Amino acid sequence: MKKPILAALYSALLATTFATPALADAHEESAASSSNIEPQVRTTQHSGTFGGVRMSYTATIGETILTGDDGKQEAVIVTTSYVKDPRDKSRPVFFIYNGGPGSGSVWLQMGAFGPKRVDIPGDARDDGAPPYPLRDNPDSLLDVADLVFIDPPGTGYSYLTEGTDPSKYYGLRQDARAVAEVIRRWINDNGRWGSPKYLGGESYGTTRTAMVVDELEGATYNDVGLNGLILISTILDFAAREPTPGNEMAYVVTLPNMATAAWFHGKVEAPSVEAIAQEAREFAIGPFATALLKGQDLPQAEREAVRAELSRLTGLSEEYLEQANLRVTDQRFYKELLRDRGLTIGRLDSRYTGEDFDNAGETPDSDPSFYGIDAGYTAAINEWARDELGFETDRGYNSIGSEPGSNWDWSMGSGWGRNAYLNVAPLIGRAMRQNSELRVFNAQGWYDFATPFFGAEYSLNRPGIPQDRLTFEYYGSGHMMYIREEDRAELSRDIREFIRAR
């Protein structure tokens, strides 16, 4: 579906992260002596069928050492690449990472695009206990592009050496410079300057993409041309996601997600999720936004009409909406929608439901769409990287760690004023205007509250972003749409078509 007329994982997937139990131990190990580190590189040969094409490929998991101006080894960055045999320098290469900040690339590697994937339920059920089988992944994109998965500093097996100042790597611009350097060095080391190049990630990974393209095509290097940006569960405009008093756009961009969630759980009537989403979009950007912007000058009759339609679209009672002053935060919605059933709904994927300690609270105890998938992915990446690819380390894999996020510098740097309005979408617009062949693919789940689909549409519909080179696609699940088998296959087909269309 194309974009209508118009923005992680957890705070780890946006800016709210969970600390892993072994974080302290992992940090101590990561801070091992930084003197004379020899980068580990492991290469193995494999074969598989991807996109219906049988092929052999080389897997390389290796460390890239980043140094400071004084020559000190500061960061060890792990990348995992899959390159079709025999090597073809004219083949596209796709650089991939996840979000957070603080999330390793395990989610996209073992869930969506890598040659192997973890087999967990895709129908909003908990992944339970081990074993979590590793399966061949026919939906991998290896048939159309070589793949390079990057674990940015502080994620996955990547780490900062002892004595390295975290502020040099944990931040919008700092992280982008490190990732851009890793990409540029991979291109150089593998002789891929002439290859078509694609860049992309999920959740905060879309924010990172905007920053990295600015580094590669502008701020630092200005020598790496890109063919496409692939954004999955997009968050570019952070101001539109914070429901602070007086910021009405946060309620506007979240309303369509409330409607789709209410539809999925049988609280509202509509012929399809697409239909209820469109109704909610039109109401959100029209009467609802107008009412909120009028503030205390909103006439009573108009208030009552807006409240009634808001109730019809969200499945919440008019009494509750009145008590909330027409402004329902997403956290309140997770708890209220199915309170009559004693259930809460998920943030990353509102199809998931959970049971809290009791039913009286204002917000959920936790996110059932997160604890329903996390264990399987961590087990899968450790089994694949250690047992099959031969990577040796005593460090745990940091799938979602709090250290980067808790130290993150959210400022854009000089020239951006006080940074009261954090929006990186203009960087994508500038890159597209300065590179006439740069195209953007955007994938959104209908049931994703972490990065709402209407927020993505809003941020990419602003002036300065060429609309004729944007592709929007939508999927019947949430933040990690590839968990659902049908959506994984569809996402793979859509991106495959996007890459081939160059």
Side-chain angles (χ1 to χ4, degrees):
M1 178 195 303
K2 299 302 179 186
K3 159 180 158 335
I5 53 174
L6 279 185
L9 276 154
Y10 249 49
S11 280
L13 291 181
L14 282 183
T16 57
T17 62
F18 282 71
T20 56
L23 181 60
D25 291 340
H27 180 63
E28 289 177 3
E29 291 165 356
S30 72
S33 175
S34 61
S35 61
N36 301 318
I37 299 173
E38 292 295 329
Q40 178 183 181
V41 178
R42 297 286 185 267
T43 299
T44 50
Q45 307 301 131
H46 308 264
S47 63
T49 300
F50 314 111
V53 178
R54 186 71 182 175
M55 68 178 64
S56 297
Y57 65 93
T58 298
T60 302
I61 183 169
E63 297 174 329
T64 298
I65 310 296
L66 303 184
T67 59
D69 293 338
D70 59 358
K72 177 187 181 299
Q73 294 177 317
E74 295 183 336
V76 180
I77 311 301
V78 175
T79 62
T80 308
S81 63
Y82 303 100
V83 177
K84 181 184 177 182
D85 294 325
R87 290 185 173 239
D88 180 357
K89 293 183 178 182
S90 65
R91 254 172 71 83
V93 58
F94 181 13
F95 297 96
I96 312 167
Y97 32 71
N98 268 88
S103 176
S105 64
V106 55
W107 313 101
L108 289 177
Q109 183 172 182
M110 306 307 298
F113 305 136
K116 298 286 184 178
R117 68 171 182 85
V118 61
D119 188 4
I120 63 173
D123 56 357
R125 288 184 292 121
D126 182 12
D127 59 3
Y132 308 106
L134 280 180
R135 308 289 191 200
D136 292 338
N137 182 18
D139 299 316
S140 172
L141 297 170
L142 253 175
D143 58 308
V144 294
D146 294 333
L147 309 174
V148 182
F149 293 91
I150 303 171
D151 288 330
T155 76
Y157 294 125
S158 302
Y159 62 95
L160 303 185
T161 62
E162 182 179 10
T164 297
D165 181 359
S167 68
K168 296 185 68 174
Y169 290 90
Y170 295 160
L172 281 164
R173 184 65 70 182
Q174 300 94 312
D175 169 88
R177 286 174 179 156
V179 171
E181 182 177 349
V182 170
I183 289 173
R184 194 173 182 278
R185 285 169 61 173
W186 191 95
I187 293 170
N188 200 54
D189 293 345
N190 289 272
R192 301 301 291 270
W193 286 100
S195 299
K197 300 173 188 65
Y198 294 82
L199 180 69
E202 175 186 352
S203 193
Y204 178 84
T206 64
T207 311
R208 176 178 287 124
T209 296
M211 300 299 298
V212 172
V213 71
D214 190 54
E215 290 293 318
L216 293 175
E217 293 196 354
T220 297
Y221 295 114
N222 196 26
D223 62 357
V224 179
L226 296 170
N227 296 70
L229 308 180
I230 295 172
L231 312 178
I232 300 172
S233 301
T234 299
I235 175 69
L236 302 172
D237 184 344
F238 285 79
R241 284 295 294 126
E242 297 299 328
T244 53
N247 179 15
E248 310 293 16
M249 279 306 299
Y251 302 103
V252 173
V253 301
T254 306
L255 174 56
N257 276 87
M258 295 184 179
T260 57
W263 178 85
F264 180 85
H265 291 289
K267 288 289 188 175
V268 302
E269 300 268 341
S272 66
V273 65
E274 293 85 358
I276 194 68
Q278 185 57 25
E279 286 185 55
R281 284 186 186 102
E282 293 173 1
F283 176 71
I285 203 67
F288 185 55
T290 299
L292 296 185
L293 292 174
K294 287 183 179 180
Q296 297 186 64
D297 292 332
L298 180 65
Q300 184 62 28
E302 185 177 351
R303 182 186 188 89
E304 292 173 359
V306 166
R307 186 181 63 213
E309 181 65 1
L310 192 59
S311 176
R312 184 187 75 82
L313 289 171
T314 64
L316 303 180
S317 70
E318 287 197 51
E319 179 183 11
Y320 183 83
L321 292 170
E322 183 62 31
Q323 291 173 342
N325 201 16
L326 306 181
R327 295 159 175 82
V328 179
T329 64
D330 48 7
Q331 289 288 329
R332 284 179 170 177
F333 183 79
Y334 308 149
K335 185 72 173 183
E336 185 66 21
L337 179 66
L338 302 182
R339 193 187 295 271
D340 58 343
R341 304 177 195 173
L343 299 173
T344 63
I345 65 170
R347 173 179 180 263
L348 296 175
D349 191 331
S350 58
R351 298 177 304 146
Y352 284 75
T353 60
E355 296 184 23
D356 283 352
F357 179 77
D358 61 38
N359 202 34
E362 182 180 21
T363 61
D365 295 346
S366 55
D367 180 0
S369 60
F370 182 75
Y371 62 67
I373 60 172
D374 54 343
Y377 276 82
T378 303
I381 191 64
N382 275 294
E383 179 181 346
W384 176 242
R386 297 172 188 268
D387 298 344
E388 301 298 328
L389 302 186
F391 191 71
E392 298 179 1
T393 180
D394 292 331
R395 297 188 305 277
Y397 187 91
N398 213 357
S399 57
I400 296 182
S402 64
E403 183 181 357
S406 62
N407 290 283
W408 208 253
D409 175 9
W410 290 94
S411 65
M412 291 288 291
S414 61
W416 288 75
R418 295 174 58 195
N419 296 299
Y421 194 144
L422 176 56
N423 178 16
V424 300
L427 298 179
I428 291 179
R430 182 166 67 188
M432 294 177 74
R433 295 193 308 272
Q434 295 179 358
N435 178 347
S436 62
E437 294 188 6
L438 179 62
R439 297 174 299 123
V440 175
F441 175 92
N442 191 92
Q444 299 291 145
W446 290 121
Y447 306 112
D448 174 16
F449 273 90
T451 57
F453 62 88
F454 196 49
E457 294 165 5
Y458 172 77
S459 63
L460 288 170
N461 191 41
R462 300 303 91 198
I465 301 176
Q467 300 295 292
D468 60 342
R469 284 182 273 145
L470 283 175
T471 298
F472 274 71
E473 300 291 350
Y474 301 84
Y475 304 90
S477 46
H479 194 71
M480 301 162 67
M481 66 283 294
Y482 43 85
I483 291 175
R484 183 170 178 256
E485 187 169 353
E486 303 94 316
D487 287 342
R488 182 176 62 252
E490 185 178 352
L491 176 66
S492 177
R493 287 193 298 268
D494 290 341
I495 296 178
R496 185 175 284 109
E497 178 182 341
F498 178 78
I499 291 174
R500 285 175 173 159
R502 75 182 187 280

